[in-house]
Every structure is written in C-alpha cells, then in structure tokens.
Amino acid sequence: MKGLLLRLSMVDADAEAAVRVIAYFDALVEQRATVAMLVRSVAALAECPAGVAMPGAEPLRAGPEGKPVPIEVPVVESGGVDLGPQGRVWLERASAPGPLDDLVLERFAMSARVLTRMERRPSAPDLADPALVELVLAEREAVEDRSRALRLLGIDATGPVRVLAVAAPGRDAGAEAVGLVARGRPLRSVRVAVVGETAAVLLQPRVDAVTVVDDLRAALTDRIRERGTSGPALRVGVGAPVQPLLARSSWLQAQLALRFAVPGVAQDAVIEHAALGALTLLADLPPARLRAEPDVAALLALAETESGALDVDTLEAFCRTGSLRQAALALHLHHSSVAARLAHVEDALGWRLDEPQSRFRARMALLARRLVL
C-alpha cells in the first residue's frame, strides 16, 4: 500500500482518477466477478481491448464494447503484466499508452489472481452469481428461495436495498454499472446481473439509502467531464429503498424510471422513480398512442434532422432549468444561441414558450417522447 501511495503522488493531477481506478477494481473483487467479467470491465475502463491468459485455459479477450475479440485477430500488446508461470494480463491500445495504464494493469493483475483463486474453490458459492440476483428479483420465486439467495449474495436482511436499471447501448451494461457505482460513497454490497440489454444492480448502502441518487448523478457528471461525447450514453433508473425480500418492487420501479431517462446531463440521465410522482401514469399509455399524439409526433419529426435534434435538446434544457440563461449555462452556449433555437421550436410547433400553458405542453410532450424512443 505504501508503494501504491507513492505512485499515486507521482500521478499528481491524475491522482483522483487513479483512486477511482482502484475503487473500480475493488468493486469487482468485492462482488466476486468472474474472470470473464473482469476482462470485459477492464476493456470498458481502458477503452481498448484487454486480455488474460491463465494456465490450462483459453485466453480471454474483450473489446471496449464488451464483446469477445475474435481469436483470429492477432494480439498486439501495448502493455502487460505477468501473473506467474504461463499467466499474463495485457492491454491492446492502438495509440500511445494512457497515463494510468500502468496502474490499470497492476490492478488488473491483482484482481485476476484473487478472482481466479475464488473461481477454483469448488465448495464455495459464487456470491456474484447473476442467477442469484435474478432469483432475488424474480416474480414467482418462493420467499425461502429469495431469502437463501440474499444470504448467498451477502445482503444484510435487516438493511434496505435499492435496485438500479442501467442501460449503456453498445457497451457492457454490467461493467459500466460497476464503474459508475464504484465512484460513489462506499457500499455494503453491490451485486449485478445483466437482464437482456439492461444491468440490474442490487445495492445496499452502508449508511443512508437516500444519498444514492446524488452519488450516481455526481459520478455520471464526472464521467461526462472526463470522456465527453466519446463516453457511453448511460441511462439509469433508480427504484425506492425497500426491504431485501421486496427487491423486485424496487426493480420494477427502476425499469419504469429508466424509460424516462435520456442520455446527456446527469439530471436527465439518472431518474428516481419516487421523483416522477403522477408522471408514471404516462407509462401506462401504449407507445403507439403516445407517438400519435400531435405534440409528440411534432417533436419526433423535428428531431429527425441534426439541427432539429439540437433544438429539441435546447428545449429539454430550457424546460428542465426554467430559464433561458440557466439553459445556456447547462448547454455551454451563449444565451442568444439558446433563444434562437427556442425560436425555431416555436415556429415549428406553434408554441409560445413565454406562456405557462405552452411550457407545460412542451414538458409533457418531451416526457412522452422519452417513453417512445
């Protein structure tokens, strides 16, 4: 640990990012991820292919989007660390090594050693087994089965849990979810399963379950600041704190909240079910009915062009912040540019955004549009 702290002091401006790298790998080890998940998570973190070779097993390689790298693609290492006889981890970065690649490789190697030992214990259950998470969130499983799954997952039956639904199109949703959650306050337990294209994250805060939403938004803001538009378009739905045996109710809430989330600023990308209130009634309407509503149809048509999509994004920011100048700050634009875009929206949709009724219509139409995207 002393050596690690010395290296962190040398990183200087990147020290905060280095601490996050360490937390990222600690979260993977804590949830006892498989080695395959470790490789996918490293590739997502480093944003380049990563691989591991272990004695007596086929090498595992994954690209930054979470998909396996075909075996016929030659390995071109940009850096690697030996694990011992015949074992090795590596990155395959086409450009020059990143400033934290050495630290990533070191933690990659350490995590691979630990997780490999865990996988080789035949009598110990895999506490990060996605099947156990799915069982806890299932609809028709017996209470006894859910209770046993919670014990195997290491979830404290006396403390509340929250469930997240995380979407990361084109990326490994499970790995992206782990990376996002690892940036917040320390959690007692984090367990992840990928259901379809959505990651279900079962987490148990150490102290206050209410801080989860703020932590997620702060973490996502940091990721956007670090990666800009090249980062994954993450969306997160957050269910309410519930007793562990009632985790399914929080999961259903998280999935519904995810439908209202849109990528971009953290305030819109991380949606808490409890904050939606009566707006959840919109989710009961068939998508075809929402698309046919004239205001929604007009927004969808406007967003089909590049300039129109920018106008709709500006309308989103204006409705969210409540003022032209605050929208300009959120979009990093001059307020005159925001005014010009809103004028385009008014011309296209026939609204007067200085009138409360039109602003209400715009807000409702934007929310309905989220549900059909």
Side-chain angles (χ1 to χ4, degrees):
M1 181 58 71
K2 181 183 289 186
L4 180 59
L5 291 175
L6 288 174
R7 283 193 292 280
L8 286 182
S9 66
M10 296 171 62
V11 175
D12 194 18
D14 288 330
E16 184 179 357
V19 171
R20 288 174 178 160
V21 168
I22 295 170
Y24 186 84
F25 283 99
D26 285 349
L28 287 168
V29 172
E30 181 183 356
Q31 71 161 357
R32 301 196 180 188
T34 63
V35 174
M37 182 176 179
L38 172 66
V39 175
R40 296 197 306 270
S41 299
V42 172
L45 174 67
E47 297 189 311
C48 72
V52 60
M54 307 296 290
E58 290 290 330
L60 296 173
R61 298 166 68 196
E65 72 289 344
K67 298 179 180 178
V69 175
I71 192 170
E72 60 269 16
V73 177
V75 175
V76 181
E77 290 189 21
S78 60
V81 174
D82 288 329
L83 301 177
Q86 303 176 8
R88 185 170 177 80
V89 299
W90 65 86
L91 298 178
E92 303 175 31
R93 194 182 297 282
S95 57
L100 295 175
D101 276 9
D102 287 344
L103 180 59
V104 169
L105 284 165
E106 178 183 286
R107 303 299 293 191
F108 186 10
M110 291 170 60
S111 301
R113 293 189 186 99
V114 172
L115 294 174
T116 300
R117 287 197 296 270
M118 290 179 178
E119 285 188 349
R120 288 174 180 170
R121 295 174 185 168
S123 61
D126 182 2
L127 299 188
D129 185 352
L132 292 176
V133 177
E134 293 177 17
L135 192 155
V136 170
L137 303 179
E139 179 180 8
R140 297 178 180 173
E141 299 297 335
V143 172
E144 295 82 1
D145 293 334
R146 292 203 302 274
S147 181
R148 179 176 181 275
L150 288 166
R151 288 197 303 272
L152 291 174
L153 288 168
I155 302 295
D156 180 3
T158 64
V161 298
R162 300 191 81 160
V163 183
L164 315 179
V166 181
R171 305 295 286 260
D172 185 326
E176 295 295 339
V178 169
L180 187 66
V181 171
R183 292 170 176 253
R185 293 177 175 86
L187 298 164
R188 180 177 296 147
S189 299
V190 180
R191 302 291 181 259
V192 181
V194 178
V195 181
E197 297 182 352
T198 304
V201 184
L202 181 65
L203 57 85
Q204 189 166 54
R206 288 186 183 277
V207 182
D208 189 353
V210 178
T211 64
V212 168
V213 176
D214 291 339
D215 286 349
L216 289 170
R217 285 178 174 157
L220 186 55
T221 299
D222 287 344
R223 285 168 71 93
I224 293 170
R225 188 182 300 118
E226 293 168 4
R227 301 188 184 185
T229 57
S230 64
L234 284 177
R235 296 184 300 120
V236 184
V238 186
V242 295
Q243 290 303 306
L245 283 174
L246 301 177
R248 177 173 173 78
S249 64
S250 186
W251 168 233
L252 294 176
Q253 292 174 351
Q255 289 177 288
L256 192 152
L258 181 65
R259 296 182 60 193
F260 286 88
V262 292
V265 297
Q267 195 72 20
D268 287 340
V270 179
I271 299 296
E272 184 180 16
H273 181 272
L276 291 171
L279 293 176
T280 59
L281 297 175
L282 281 175
D284 292 334
L285 296 175
R289 173 69 183 85
L290 292 174
R291 287 192 187 92
E293 204 287 322
D295 286 347
V296 179
L299 280 177
L300 291 170
L302 180 61
E304 287 180 353
T305 66
E306 183 176 354
S307 61
L310 293 175
D311 291 341
V312 174
D313 289 343
T314 303
L315 179 63
E316 284 266 14
F318 174 71
C319 289
R320 182 181 68 253
T321 61
S323 78
L324 188 146
R325 290 189 178 275
Q326 288 300 315
L329 286 173
L331 296 170
H332 307 290
L333 294 173
H334 192 273
H335 63 84
S336 61
S337 298
V338 172
R341 290 185 181 180
L342 293 178
H344 294 162
V345 173
E346 290 181 324
D347 291 341
L349 278 71
W351 295 341
R352 292 291 303 274
L353 294 174
D354 57 345
E355 298 176 353
Q357 181 65 18
S358 287
R359 289 198 299 273
F360 178 76
R361 284 180 63 185
R363 185 63 176 156
M364 290 296 292
L366 287 168
L367 288 169
R369 174 176 170 266
R370 295 185 187 186
L371 296 174
V372 300
L373 292 178

